[in-house]
Amino acid sequence: MALLVYMTAADPAEAERIAVELVERRLAAGVNILAPMRSVYRWKGEVRKAGEIPLVAQSEEERFPALAACVRELHSYETPCIIAVPIAAGTTDFLDWIAACTA
């Protein structure tokens, strides 16, 4: 099953490094690096605010464990955001592209 994997990075350089590695290792067919955002979250009992860079990767369910391990390896956060959402529908050619690129 094809997945969209949502992640955040601390800064543009980290986002780029993660995106390139995921594609080079065939863990993702592609990764969209989005505009900077502001995040508000609770961490270790405190409400914090930070700038982050969101990423969205196109991958396959069987690649997710390795994808998550790669992100953890490259990430500066103790607990990085790495979540996957199944793609319920899509064009056949795009879904085939994801499968081919992550094979």
Side-chain angles (χ1 to χ4, degrees):
M1 172 184 290
L3 302 175
L4 287 180
V5 182
Y6 174 79
M7 302 158 282
T8 58
D11 57 49
E14 183 172 76
E16 181 97 10
R17 186 171 54 255
I18 290 168
V20 168
E21 282 296 316
L22 292 178
V23 173
E24 284 185 352
R25 296 183 193 189
R26 301 182 78 86
L27 300 173
V31 180
N32 303 113
I33 301 172
L34 306 175
M37 68 178 185
R38 295 288 301 156
S39 295
V40 178
Y41 57 95
R42 183 172 301 280
W43 181 249
K44 297 188 178 184
E46 296 179 16
V47 175
R48 298 187 184 187
K49 301 174 188 174
E52 293 185 295
I53 307 296
L55 300 94
V56 179
Q58 303 86 38
S59 190
E60 290 283 336
E61 186 173 17
E62 62 269 8
R63 304 299 278 155
F64 182 77
L67 182 152
C70 178
V71 172
R72 286 181 176 282
E73 169 190 323
L74 300 170
H75 213 290
S76 61
Y77 293 174
E78 182 180 334
T79 305
C81 171
I82 312 166
I83 59 171
V85 179
I87 298 175
T91 59
T92 302
D93 55 343
F94 190 75
L95 297 176
D96 289 347
W97 171 76
I98 294 171
C101 289
T102 57

